[in-house]
Amino acid sequence: MSTQITILALLTGLMTGALFRFLNIPIPAPPELPGVMGIIGIYVGYKIIDHFGVGVDFLELLGA
């Protein structure tokens, strides 16, 4: 993962969050720490399964 891309993503998020707050628009993300931690948990869980290379192709199971 590129550090430069990560920093640009963070800056983009900061500017977007600031703009949403300035315009009094609700952010499309959990506004409290437990919600943010849930998103981090989803990401970490995804990466753990990806690391071990296990999984099921759900769309294939559905015949799609």
Side-chain angles (χ1 to χ4, degrees), residues 4-63:
Q4 183 180 12
I5 291 174
T6 303
I7 291 171
L8 288 173
L10 176 62
L11 291 174
T12 300
L14 287 170
M15 290 187 318
T16 303
L19 178 64
F20 274 50
R21 181 63 190 130
F22 180 75
L23 297 174
N24 288 327
I25 299 172
I27 59 172
E32 297 183 15
L33 185 58
V36 173
M37 294 307 294
I39 290 173
I40 291 170
I42 290 169
Y43 175 77
V44 170
Y46 181 92
K47 294 306 270 184
I48 288 171
I49 295 301
D50 188 47
H51 173 76
F52 288 110
V54 297
V56 175
D57 188 342
F58 189 69
L59 292 178
E60 184 179 302
L61 287 175
L62 293 176

